[in-house]
Amino acid sequence: MSKYWSGITARLVPYVPGEQPRDKKYIKLNTNENPYPPSPKVLEAITGAVNADLRLYPDPTCDNLRRTVADYCGLSERQVFIGNGSDEILAFSFVAFFNPGEPILFPDITYSFYKVYANLYGLSYQTVPLDDEFNIPMEPFHAANGGVIIPNPNAPTAKAVPVDFIRSVLENNLERAVIIDEAYIDFGGESAVRLVAEYPNLLVIQTLSKSRSLAGLRVGIALGSEELIEGLERVKNSFNSYTLDRLALSGAIAAFQDEDYFQEATQKVIRTREMTMTQLRELGCKVLDSKANFVFITHPAVPAKQLLEELRAEGILVRYFAQPRIDNYLRVSIGTDEDMERFIQTFQMIISRHVNE
Ligand SMILES: *Cc1c(COP(=O)(O)O)cnc(C)c1O
């Protein structure tokens, strides 16, 4: 606390990102990064952009990248917004589409940044409880609200909803913005992008951080009606017009141009996830049905907090949330086959240690 802080700053409860250890001795299964490197073409494009042009500001409207994304998604450039990571787009969206005193709806167990943004901007929200199996119920999202945000697949549960679920939420909120956060959509969910042409109230947000292995480059995209995209542009240009640097723009374009690499890496993660889910169930875990690059698990014999600490002692980082309803669960990112083999072996060892006590 400092006397120099504004009232807002003093009251903030900031988001806490997963640990990024400085040494490389850990198997990192705690922040949902992709275990595979970005496409070599992306690295080449970034290297190619390291030149004297760096003295010039980057393109504030990201035209080339917007065109690339628009073609890729079958939309027009005016239906595409680019941000410095999807977190930035989420932050802009809360200002662009939500009003104080009109509560935003989102699930009770979800990406914890939504609450942080609502508090930052003095917006109110109402959380919708997931059911006992951690499914998102539909009816509560049909009630009066000041806007909706739903991640699909949800985090940290990894569970997905079908496009018809989203269509129904859109139909019942035609006067409000409905944001679908598709950070993990490429790992098996059904994207709502196909609904953009039909629903002017839909904003789909995606990221290059997970399925395209570019968490370190900071690029997110939003797809929606021209009026929603224009709203985001207005907010962005009231904050910082140059949110993406020249290297990020070049790398992101190349990422969308190497479809083969993207498909192959994504399929590998999905295969490893399916194998990991089977093995964890064989070890007695409850594993929620995952359509993401992580799994959400609990074991009947050993408390999650204890598993977290014992895994860490064995050199494996996973994520734990000390929150009601999920404080006996762990979120485990999917690594390479090798990483997951080590994880499963270690997990089995820890479990047997406790069961034999
Ligand atoms: C990782 C994640 C993001 C943020 O992604 P960036 O593009 O790296 O900022 C947004 N939403 C959810 C649900 C995420 O898991």
Side-chain angles (χ1 to χ4, degrees):
M1 195 62 75
S2 158
K3 66 181 171 189
Y4 302 114
W5 290 356
S6 65
I8 274 205
T9 302
R11 285 188 300 273
L12 290 179
V13 185
Y15 176 78
V16 184
E19 183 186 358
Q20 295 290 355
R22 280 168 204 262
D23 45 29
K24 290 269 173 181
K25 65 178 189 186
Y26 291 100
I27 296 183
K28 263 192 100 265
L29 307 178
N30 66 331
T31 50
N32 295 345
E33 289 142 329
N34 201 303
Y36 301 108
S39 152
K41 291 180 183 156
V42 168
L43 303 182
E44 218 172 282
I46 294 171
T47 313
V50 178
N51 60 43
D53 283 349
L54 282 172
R55 76 187 176 82
L56 301 169
Y57 280 106
D59 174 9
T61 48
C62 308
D63 283 348
N64 291 339
L65 177 54
R66 271 197 308 137
R67 199 169 311 125
T68 304
V69 172
D71 289 348
Y72 187 87
C73 299
L75 297 169
S76 88
E77 286 154 52
R78 291 156 66 97
Q79 293 171 305
V80 179
F81 179 85
I82 308 293
N84 188 284
S86 58
D87 282 340
E88 183 186 73
I89 305 179
L90 287 165
F92 289 167
S93 300
F94 275 59
V95 182
F97 309 125
F98 303 145
N99 288 304
E102 299 172 16
I104 310 158
L105 291 186
F106 49 82
D108 64 340
I109 296 164
T110 196
Y111 189 39
S112 51
F113 234 137
Y114 305 152
K115 261 182 205 178
V116 174
Y117 292 133
N119 288 334
L120 173 62
Y121 300 125
L123 302 169
S124 53
Y125 58 85
Q126 232 175 317
T127 57
V128 171
L130 302 188
D131 72 16
D132 290 343
E133 290 301 312
F134 296 119
N135 294 310
I136 304 177
M138 189 153 62
E139 294 298 318
F141 288 98
H142 295 174
N145 63 69
V148 168
I149 178 156
I150 296 176
N152 189 34
N154 195 8
T157 65
K159 284 192 147 185
V161 293
V163 161
D164 283 343
F165 178 105
I166 290 163
R167 182 187 289 280
S168 163
V169 173
L170 288 163
E171 282 290 342
N172 286 277
N173 290 281
L174 291 171
E175 304 304 313
R176 302 291 183 192
V178 173
I179 300 175
I180 306 299
D181 181 352
E182 294 193 336
Y184 302 102
I185 197 68
D186 297 322
F187 299 104
E190 263 184 291
S191 175
V193 169
R194 73 178 83 148
L195 302 181
V196 163
E198 253 175 282
Y199 293 96
N201 54 332
L202 168 63
L203 188 77
V204 177
I205 301 181
Q206 298 183 347
T207 176
L208 277 65
S209 296
K210 277 71 184 235
S211 58
R212 294 183 192 268
S213 307
L214 288 170
L217 202 64
R218 311 306 303 132
V219 185
I221 65 177
L223 310 159
S225 60
E226 291 184 19
E227 51 190 309
L228 292 188
I229 298 303
E230 194 187 335
L232 287 172
E233 290 288 349
R234 287 171 70 91
V235 172
K236 175 186 116 157
N237 287 313
S238 307
F239 245 100
N240 171 12
S241 289
Y242 304 106
T243 54
L244 268 90
D245 63 64
R246 289 173 167 270
L247 309 190
L249 290 171
S250 302
I253 291 169
F256 283 99
Q257 288 169 340
D258 197 350
E259 182 67 10
D260 289 349
Y261 185 92
F262 164 68
Q263 289 296 345
E264 199 180 311
T266 310
Q267 288 309 315
K268 269 199 284 193
V269 171
I270 292 173
R271 276 200 301 273
T272 308
R273 174 190 73 208
E274 295 302 307
M275 205 167 60
T276 304
M277 287 171 66
T278 305
Q279 289 168 327
L280 284 167
R281 283 177 179 141
E282 281 166 9
L283 294 176
C285 282
K286 175 172 176 172
V287 184
L288 302 196
D289 183 25
S290 171
K291 293 281 184 269
N293 66 337
F294 58 90
V295 289
F296 202 51
I297 64 171
T298 184
H299 194 278
V302 191
K305 187 84 194 297
Q306 184 132 16
L307 283 167
L308 170 86
E309 281 155 14
E310 293 189 32
L311 282 164
R312 191 193 168 87
E314 300 290 338
I316 299 176
L317 299 182
V318 300
R319 193 88 198 257
Y320 172 77
F321 302 92
Q323 263 175 51
R325 298 188 70 189
I326 58 169
D327 57 1
N328 200 25
Y329 280 79
L330 292 178
R331 190 194 71 187
V332 182
S333 310
I334 299 300
T336 61
D337 282 339
E338 237 178 11
D339 294 338
M340 299 323 282
E341 216 170 285
R342 263 283 303 280
F343 167 73
I344 291 286
Q345 276 171 7
T346 309
F347 194 87
Q348 181 165 27
M349 182 190 77
I350 294 170
I351 299 291
S352 58
R353 217 148 57 191
H354 285 268
V355 172
N356 296 333
E357 255 168 21

